[in-house]
Amino acid sequence: MLYVKDLHKSYEVGKNKYAVLKGIDFHVAQGEFVAVMGPSGSGKTTLLNCISCYIPFEQGSITVGGTHLAGQNEETLARIRNTKLGFVFQDFMLLDGLSIRENILIPRIVQGEVKKDAEDLVSQLAEIFGITHILDKYPAEISGGEKQRAAVARSLINHPMVILADEPTGNLDSKSSRTVIESFGNAKEKMNATIFMVTHDSFAASFCDRVILLKDGVIYRQLEKGSSRSEFQDRLLDTIKEMAN
């Protein structure tokens, strides 16, 4: 579904060039929930921005559902973002002047296609994520956890190939964080959603099928769950401590 091969990305500051990603290789299968973790400066955000088509990369390839992202024009990239990728951001990115129902429909509104099937899907997603009661409310009237669950629903309205989540629990308390991460689990189980999440939160990552750990622009290790959530979190914490040494 998502293939990243020999990915290199660097930034130039004045006369200096800084390599951020140094030959990243991995893939995410259909229906898999994968997290990326690593210390500040490890390349997590840069990696996500490359996959999101927001920044170019110098070498390697990124393929989503058989489509190569490199070399596409802006119009094509915009279409890929709206139809093949779903986005969930740390700060929710809901529009205050629209109801929650309308916010969830935004990707369809952009396409100019708000038909009955889209309305029906909103109802289905709202039921899955427990937000039916807030569909006619506005962002200012609901909690942070409810906002993020609405954002997860919005990310699925176009049946994307991959959901890209950027620190989705970063602005939430522990109870709301768990609810949101469980929403991703529901999306995976009930809609076969494929999710690629950048996070610093080992608790959130422990719900994933696999965690990719980055250090200094390379993959330090990949851990597969294969155990209970709490045991997986312990392994993650041990590996993070090991990386720091």
Side-chain angles (χ1 to χ4, degrees):
M1 181 55 65
L2 170 64
Y3 290 88
V4 175
K5 181 69 174 175
D6 192 31
L7 188 67
H8 291 256
K9 173 62 182 176
S10 60
Y11 293 103
E12 292 186 10
V13 180
K15 296 182 179 179
N16 298 316
K17 189 173 184 178
Y18 299 94
V20 180
L21 300 177
K22 308 169 185 175
I24 300 292
D25 284 282
F26 67 89
H27 78 278
V28 180
Q30 173 70 48
E32 194 176 17
F33 187 5
V34 175
V36 175
M37 298 186 72
S40 178
S42 61
K44 304 186 301 297
T45 300
T46 297
L47 173 60
L48 192 67
N49 285 337
C50 287
I51 297 170
S52 304
C53 313
Y54 287 123
I55 61 173
F57 48 91
E58 290 99 50
Q59 181 180 323
S61 65
I62 300 174
T63 308
V64 177
T67 299
H68 289 275
L69 302 187
Q72 304 286 357
N73 61 39
E74 278 303 317
E75 182 180 351
T76 301
L77 290 177
R79 186 168 62 251
I80 289 170
R81 290 188 201 105
N82 195 49
T83 59
K84 294 194 174 187
L85 303 175
F87 296 92
V88 180
F89 303 97
Q90 181 175 344
D91 54 359
F92 319 128
M93 299 292 285
L94 300 178
L95 298 181
D96 292 336
L98 299 182
S99 69
I100 298 307
R101 185 189 308 275
E102 291 165 336
N103 267 285
I104 293 171
L105 282 167
I106 283 175
R108 291 292 184 99
I109 293 171
V110 169
Q111 286 182 298
E113 295 181 3
V114 183
K115 299 178 181 177
K116 186 178 183 301
D117 71 306
E119 298 281 0
D120 291 344
L121 183 54
V122 169
S123 299
Q124 179 187 348
L125 291 168
E127 185 173 348
I128 290 172
F129 301 136
I131 56 172
T132 301
H133 63 292
I134 63 166
L135 285 178
D136 295 319
K137 293 187 177 182
Y138 290 83
E141 301 174 312
I142 65 176
S143 70
E146 288 170 333
K147 290 177 184 178
Q148 198 60 296
R149 280 182 279 158
V152 175
R154 180 185 59 197
S155 75
L156 286 159
I157 195 69
N158 269 344
H159 301 289
M161 293 183 174
V162 183
I163 295 174
L164 302 176
D166 185 10
E167 300 281 7
T169 61
N171 285 335
L172 303 176
D173 59 35
S174 59
K175 182 179 179 180
S176 296
S177 293
R178 184 175 191 123
T179 303
V180 168
I181 291 300
E182 287 174 347
S183 294
F184 282 119
N186 286 337
K188 166 185 158 63
E189 291 172 14
K190 297 181 180 181
M191 302 188 72
N192 199 30
T194 305
I195 305 152
F196 185 73
M197 175 178 72
V198 167
T199 185
H200 69 279
D201 183 359
S202 63
F203 176 77
S206 69
F207 285 81
C208 296
D209 301 312
R210 178 162 51 100
V211 176
I212 299 169
L213 292 144
L214 293 186
K215 182 178 181 180
D216 298 328
V218 299
I219 293 178
Y220 178 82
R221 190 171 299 168
Q222 297 193 48
L223 298 178
E224 295 191 8
K225 194 170 187 178
S227 59
S228 71
R229 188 207 61 76
S230 60
E231 290 172 345
F232 189 35
Q233 185 176 10
D234 288 342
R235 284 199 290 134
L236 281 172
L237 291 170
D238 287 343
T239 306
I240 290 168
K241 289 177 183 177
E242 178 186 301
M243 277 201 306
N245 295 330

